[in-house]
Amino acid sequence: MLIVAGVALTGAAMLSGSIESQRVRLKLLTVTSDESIAKNPRTVLLQVAPGGLRAPMLTYLWLRSQQLKEDGKFFDAQQLRDLICDLSPHFPGVWSFHAWDMAWNISVATHTPDERWMWVSNGIRLLRDRGLYYNPDNLLLYKELAWIYFSKMGQYTDDMHMVYKRRWAGEMNHVLGAPPFSDTPDAAIEAFRLIADAPKTLANLEKDASSADFVKRLAGFDVKPDGAFLNYYNRYSGDSSVSPPEWLANEPSEKDKPIAGLMRSVELSDARAKVLAFVRRKVLVEKYRMDPNWMLELMERYGPMDWRNVNSHAIYWATLGLHKAEGKGLAGINALNTDRTFLGGLKSLTRTGQVYCTYNQDNPEEPYVDFLPDWRFVEAVHREYLKGGKILVRKPSGEPGDINSNKNVLLNGHMTYLSNAIQQMYFGGHEKRAEYYYSEIKNTLKAKGAIYKLDLHAFVREKRRQAGVPSTEMSNALIGGALRRAYRALAGGNHDGYRRGRALARRVHRAYYKDVAGKARFKPQSFRKIERDFLIRMLLQPRAVGLIIPLITKAKLYNALSPTMQQEIYPLIAERLRQQCQTERINFNKAFPAPMSVSSP
């Protein structure tokens, strides 16, 4: 036995060097004691205490956690998985697998919206708050995190996808509010720049005298410049980008009245704005582990991302991962898939980039959310496709190749994307932009085929005929764009344009409804309800449909509606429009007369 032991020890000594080099290469080494304690003393203990039993312990924990999951004991399994992660903090596959299992597998084994959202958000937090904390340069974890935002939350495969979209929009609306509404990207970018450029520490904030005075006033009410300030600001400031509508807002209690006064004071508005920017930056960094400067850079590079949209976060984590991994030999399939997620998210912003949140009194954490196409991202997607195509066709000598060659595997996707964007812009009333990108397909991409010899109008008609049933996002974009075009025409007295636009919206809805009638997660509402809700938003909150409409134009539109439609929407719009008429000193009963079967309030 002594001889066997001696041989074993000798063999172990001979192998220790190669094993140690592999541990270094795979980043399986324990970090130094000081770094580990600073991160998590529990992790240090769990890596050191088991000694040689660490490997069999991990094996047992894996098997046991899987069994508990199969038995439906998800919380018990989660406790063991947390232990597995602490035992292997520098093994990315552990974090990736457990986050995927929570977001994709355990979530669909539950049935209520709260349970679904809890497990999806648990997967996000595991990767974002812990996995990337220990592995800040690992592309696999960034890829998985971006994929949860893009596919699980942003697409339509999960029957509760709208729950995820609404919950996330509610969180981000609470932190950042709605960006300024503008056809150009500048307003939204400049608004976010205030957050990115805000002081990083409280000490730096208080170097400004007015900000220091405002922080001192807050301290007098035991309110710190953090999430607590944000709660009071959103509740009492009257800022329409974050607060509930005035008719739903609650009056502050006697205790809160002085704080509400601070949030509404006109004299303190400049100081309050500086503190607000500081707090928003602080929450983004500390709670959501996001870098506001990287967020701003993405907005300047690609367009005015609305961070209430899950696709914006897919782009953020995908691009940040590619940036962190650059030059570290971490390319390959993970880089390719991460790049695909980024491009997919950017394309989705074209179809869903404009977000409008409507306060939900029954569940403030889950607002009603509308998504509208945002043409401002088309150029960014077009540039990315051109950039990728040029890389693919580049000659070994480094000289540029022909972007239209067979080496450009992105070409067909590029043309399909632009064709869809052209149709959306055309039906949304942006014919000049549609004409420009149609010329890009013909002249830059050199598309071949008889269809590309047609003029824009004939091209769009033929594409719609060929397409048959549109996708979910395409359907929503086309219906919304057609209704917007129809009712803008009606408000201007163009009845032929109204009939054409409405007929198109009905055709798209009919084709899509027929195709997905048996699929609950895709099935749309009735066309009548879609049209009615669209009109209500157009009259009460025109930003929700991408428009700015004067009150007199709203009156013209309302009076041009059929009596039946007036009867449906009047009880829902009368009080709000009455308030607007009082503000602008317009006779409400003349501008918006009650339908015959509806008594005037």
Side-chain angles (χ1 to χ4, degrees):
M1 294 299 294
L2 288 172
I3 292 172
V4 171
V7 171
L9 287 170
T10 303
M14 294 174 63
L15 292 172
S16 63
S18 61
I19 291 174
E20 193 67 16
S21 64
Q22 289 185 58
R23 283 169 57 80
V24 172
R25 179 170 55 84
L26 297 174
K27 296 187 176 180
L28 296 177
L29 285 173
T30 308
V31 291
T32 64
S33 297
D34 290 342
E35 290 176 331
S36 295
I37 292 171
K39 290 178 178 179
N40 191 337
R42 179 172 180 263
T43 302
V44 180
L45 180 63
L46 288 173
Q47 289 184 85
V48 175
L53 297 177
R54 185 164 167 240
M57 181 185 293
L58 278 168
T59 303
Y60 168 76
L61 291 174
W62 272 96
L63 295 172
R64 180 59 179 158
S65 67
Q66 284 297 101
Q67 185 61 54
L68 288 170
K69 189 194 86 169
E70 292 174 7
D71 293 341
K73 299 177 180 178
F74 302 133
F75 291 99
D76 293 334
Q78 181 60 29
Q79 289 182 335
L80 295 186
R81 290 174 170 198
D82 285 340
L83 193 56
I84 292 171
C85 291
D86 284 332
L87 283 164
S88 307
H90 299 294
F91 187 27
V94 170
W95 303 99
S96 173
F97 174 82
H98 290 322
W100 173 276
D101 208 28
M102 285 191 286
W104 296 86
N105 298 332
I106 296 178
S107 68
V108 297
T110 60
H111 306 289
T112 67
D114 287 338
E115 287 178 306
R116 287 281 188 94
W117 173 240
M118 178 187 70
W119 287 109
V120 171
S121 56
N122 280 349
I124 289 173
R125 285 195 294 269
L126 185 70
L127 287 171
R128 183 193 67 200
D129 300 348
R130 299 182 62 199
L132 287 173
Y133 190 74
Y134 290 106
N135 305 276
D137 299 329
N138 190 272
L139 187 56
L140 172 65
L141 301 186
Y142 288 98
K143 175 185 78 72
E144 295 295 350
L145 183 54
W147 187 248
I148 292 176
Y149 281 110
F150 171 69
S151 184
K152 180 67 176 179
M153 298 168 65
Q155 301 302 302
Y156 303 85
T157 53
D158 192 308
D159 57 358
M160 289 195 186
H161 66 91
M162 280 307 301
V163 172
Y164 312 145
K165 291 178 174 71
R166 288 194 293 262
R167 292 290 178 98
W168 190 255
E171 280 196 35
M172 287 293 107
N173 197 74
H174 179 79
V175 177
L176 298 174
F181 181 70
S182 172
D183 283 337
T184 63
D186 298 342
I189 293 173
E190 291 309 310
F192 191 84
R193 191 183 305 278
L194 297 175
I195 299 171
D197 292 345
K200 297 181 181 179
T201 65
L202 182 59
N204 287 335
L205 174 69
E206 292 180 331
K207 288 179 180 179
D208 176 77
S210 62
S211 299
D213 177 68
F214 194 86
V215 171
K216 186 177 180 180
R217 290 171 184 259
L218 289 174
F221 301 110
D222 199 26
V223 177
K224 296 180 180 179
D226 54 17
F229 164 81
L230 208 55
N231 291 337
Y232 284 117
Y233 178 84
N234 291 351
R235 191 183 310 166
Y236 297 130
S237 68
D239 182 346
S240 60
S241 70
V242 293
S243 300
E246 292 180 7
W247 65 94
L248 290 177
N250 296 320
E251 280 297 313
S253 64
E254 288 299 319
K255 178 184 176 182
D256 284 353
K257 279 186 178 179
I259 302 175
L262 275 182
M263 300 304 158
R264 297 170 180 172
S265 170
V266 177
E267 292 80 8
L268 299 174
S269 59
D270 289 342
R272 184 173 58 243
K274 294 174 184 177
V275 175
L276 176 63
F278 167 80
V279 170
R280 284 175 166 170
R281 179 187 175 90
K282 178 182 176 70
V283 172
L284 284 173
V285 172
E286 295 181 1
K287 181 177 180 179
Y288 294 96
R289 311 281 180 174
M290 299 182 74
D291 179 359
N293 296 103
W294 186 256
M295 296 166 73
L296 177 63
E297 185 174 334
L298 292 178
M299 294 174 74
E300 292 175 330
R301 189 186 308 170
Y302 301 117
M305 294 183 193
D306 189 329
W307 296 101
R308 300 173 299 173
N309 191 312
V310 293
N311 289 295
S312 298
H313 292 265
I315 294 169
Y316 174 88
W317 292 108
T319 55
L320 184 63
L322 291 168
H323 173 72
K324 294 278 189 179
E326 187 176 5
K328 297 180 180 178
L330 300 174
I333 192 65
N334 283 335
L336 180 62
N337 287 333
T338 306
D339 210 34
R340 285 173 173 168
T341 301
F342 152 67
L343 187 57
L346 199 57
K347 290 163 65 176
S348 289
L349 287 183
T350 306
R351 299 182 289 268
T352 67
Q354 291 191 60
V355 182
Y356 194 84
C357 292
T358 307
Y359 187 77
N360 181 356
Q361 190 173 14
D362 296 327
N363 187 359
E365 293 183 356
E366 191 174 316
Y368 303 113
V369 181
D370 294 299
F371 297 97
L372 291 173
D374 197 332
W375 322 122
R376 297 172 296 183
F377 290 97
V378 174
E379 182 60 26
V381 177
H382 181 45
R383 288 198 311 266
E384 287 301 311
Y385 264 122
L386 289 175
K387 177 182 174 183
K390 290 175 181 177
I391 292 173
L392 289 170
V393 301
R394 186 177 296 157
K395 297 178 181 179
S397 62
E399 297 177 2
D402 183 6
I403 197 171
N404 304 292
S405 71
N406 294 332
K407 291 183 179 180
N408 183 8
V409 295
L410 299 175
L411 184 61
N412 289 336
H414 191 176
M415 287 195 291
T416 299
Y417 167 77
L418 284 184
S419 295
N420 289 337
I422 288 167
Q423 295 170 64
Q424 294 173 46
M425 287 186 281
Y426 179 85
F427 291 123
H430 298 274
E431 290 187 21
K432 288 186 178 180
R433 291 185 184 181
E435 190 73 63
Y436 169 76
Y437 288 106
Y438 186 39
S439 68
E440 284 291 282
I441 289 181
K442 292 189 292 185
N443 301 326
T444 303
L445 303 183
K446 295 181 172 55
K448 299 176 182 178
I451 190 173
Y452 297 106
K453 296 179 181 179
L454 302 172
D455 63 26
L456 175 64
H457 309 287
F459 170 79
V460 171
R461 287 197 299 271
E462 180 60 18
K463 275 292 181 181
R464 291 289 1 111
R465 186 191 69 78
Q466 293 178 1
V469 180
S471 66
T472 302
E473 287 184 343
M474 188 68 171
S475 171
N476 293 337
L478 291 178
I479 292 172
L483 287 175
R484 179 166 49 180
R485 190 169 189 171
Y487 282 102
R488 285 180 69 181
L490 184 61
N494 181 358
H495 291 271
D496 287 339
Y498 161 71
R499 283 191 288 270
R500 286 196 300 271
R502 188 172 185 273
L504 170 66
R506 286 186 66 86
R507 285 199 303 273
V508 173
H509 180 272
R510 191 181 301 117
Y512 181 68
Y513 189 93
K514 181 179 179 181
D515 185 61
V516 302
K519 304 171 185 176
R521 67 177 179 269
F522 295 120
K523 190 174 181 179
Q525 298 172 321
S526 68
F527 180 77
R528 186 66 175 180
K529 188 175 189 311
I530 291 174
E531 184 179 30
R532 186 196 69 186
D533 291 348
F534 180 90
L535 274 169
I536 292 171
R537 292 196 302 271
M538 189 170 181
L539 290 168
L540 298 185
Q541 300 162 324
R543 266 193 61 177
V545 295
L547 296 171
I548 298 175
I549 307 176
L551 187 59
I552 192 66
T553 304
K554 294 180 183 180
K556 291 179 180 178
L557 173 60
Y558 171 80
N559 286 285
L561 299 175
S562 68
T564 304
M565 181 60 79
Q566 287 183 350
Q567 290 170 12
E568 288 189 37
I569 70 172
Y570 185 84
L572 302 171
I573 65 173
E575 187 56 36
R576 289 284 309 282
L577 290 175
R578 179 184 291 277
Q579 294 173 8
Q580 293 180 30
C581 286
Q582 288 176 349
T583 301
E584 298 191 25
R585 298 184 179 182
I586 293 175
N587 187 315
F588 169 75
N589 291 323
K590 288 184 178 181
F592 300 93
M596 292 298 294
S597 60
V598 179
S599 59
S600 178

